[in-house]
Amino acid sequence: RKEVEQDPGPFNVPEGATVAFNCTYSNSASQSFFWYRQDCRKEPKLLMSVYSSGNEDGRFTAQLNRASQYISLLIRDSKLSDSATYLCVVNYLGNFGNEKLTFGTGTRLTIIP
Amino acid sequence: DGGITQSPKYLFRKEGQNVTLSCEQNLNHDAMYWYRQDPGQGLRLIYYSQIVNDFQKGDIAEGYSVSREKKESFPLTVTSAQKNPTAFYLCASSIDPWDRGGNQPQHFGDGTRLSIL
């Protein structure tokens, strides 16, 4: 099983719709979680951190479910500019000073006019 | 403006040649990282450094080398031993995760595309 798994898509969604995708992780000791956005041939950019209580930033809502070991991203009122690949990132900090940040392969989202 | 600068944007390597990718940050971050991204794959960690003069191998360190002589700089050398170097290379930095309890995102440079001639 991959450490971090995402549905690669593509998700083709009409403008204005709501879209959600999940990301599952295998290491139950993972401590921090992020969603990044990556445009074609560009670097990943932090979209939002994911907190245990869930958090919202404008049209974007992130949730963490530790029991089922997944995080989710919900995008409301989708815009054409939301078209991108969304990377799920999971961080583990070990007791011996090791850090392991694991990236999912990304979910490609295309918003259709 | 603070940020991470990678250079060059595009790099071509001949067979048997070593090439060095530059990464500089002025964010005063302690930790720096090098990743490689291949089509259809997630980012894979090559090397990381949590402090000056120290660095650790990531998941795919073979064929690569790094140095961390200054806090701001973390160059990556792709050696001739790396037989499949064509990829998008990303450098990232973050505040030392152990300083702030771990919830520190990484910030990325805009990448270097390396191809074989």
Side-chain angles (χ1 to χ4, degrees):
Chain A
R1 183 185 173 188
K2 286 185 182 176
E3 291 185 64
V4 176
E5 284 200 78
Q6 294 182 253
D7 183 340
F11 286 65
N12 298 315
V13 172
E15 192 175 5
T18 295
V19 60
F21 24 85
N22 287 348
C23 164
T24 59
Y25 61 94
S26 61
N27 185 347
S28 59
S30 299
Q31 289 126 324
S32 46
F33 309 87
F34 309 94
W35 283 104
Y36 280 76
R37 170 199 169 121
Q38 187 173 25
D39 292 292
C40 188
R41 301 176 72 82
K42 296 287 182 74
E43 77 278 17
K45 292 187 177 171
L46 179 67
L47 180 65
M48 56 200 304
S49 301
V50 186
Y51 301 117
S52 297
S53 53
N55 47 303
E56 191 173 304
D57 183 2
R59 297 181 294 107
F60 298 84
T61 301
Q63 297 275 358
L64 166 63
N65 185 317
R66 283 195 185 272
S68 301
Q69 294 183 205
Y70 73 86
I71 65 172
S72 63
L73 179 68
L74 179 84
I75 306 174
R76 287 182 299 279
D77 186 25
S78 52
K79 313 287 184 195
L80 295 176
S81 57
D82 294 333
S83 298
T85 296
Y86 290 84
L87 301 174
C88 164
V89 182
V90 174
N91 198 15
Y92 167 76
L93 283 177
N95 291 329
F96 300 104
N98 57 314
E99 179 193 20
K100 185 171 175 64
L101 196 75
T102 306
F103 288 77
T105 54
T107 296
R108 196 200 293 182
L109 173 66
T110 301
I111 306 299
I112 302 165
Chain B
D1 282 1
I4 304 173
T5 302
Q6 288 186 241
S7 62
K9 203 170 180 68
Y10 300 95
L11 185 59
F12 298 91
R13 194 193 89 169
K14 293 180 183 176
E15 291 272 351
Q17 187 181 40
N18 292 354
V19 291
T20 297
L21 285 59
S22 168
C23 178
E24 304 276 331
Q25 55 97 1
N26 59 4
L27 299 165
N28 200 33
H29 284 171
D30 292 295
M32 296 186 75
Y33 313 81
W34 274 106
Y35 294 91
R36 167 184 173 137
Q37 188 175 36
D38 295 277
Q41 296 196 39
L43 277 70
R44 292 184 290 167
L45 182 65
I46 304 172
Y47 267 99
Y48 67 100
S49 168
Q50 294 166 5
I51 197 169
V52 174
N53 291 323
D54 184 62
F55 48 82
Q56 306 294 329
K57 290 183 179 180
D59 299 318
I60 53 164
E62 188 174 345
Y64 299 97
S65 65
V66 293
S67 63
R68 187 88 187 275
E69 296 175 5
K70 298 186 297 181
K71 188 175 183 177
E72 318 75 79
S73 178
F74 191 41
L76 173 75
T77 297
V78 183
T79 74
S80 56
Q82 173 46 248
K83 298 305 179 190
N84 184 23
T86 298
F88 186 40
Y89 289 86
L90 287 156
C91 177
S93 71
S94 70
I95 295 169
D96 183 350
W98 283 269
D99 275 349
R100 302 289 175 87
N103 199 28
Q104 296 305 315
Q106 295 181 7
H107 300 270
F108 288 84
D110 55 10
T112 293
R113 292 199 177 273
L114 176 62
S115 302
I116 295 183
L117 280 176

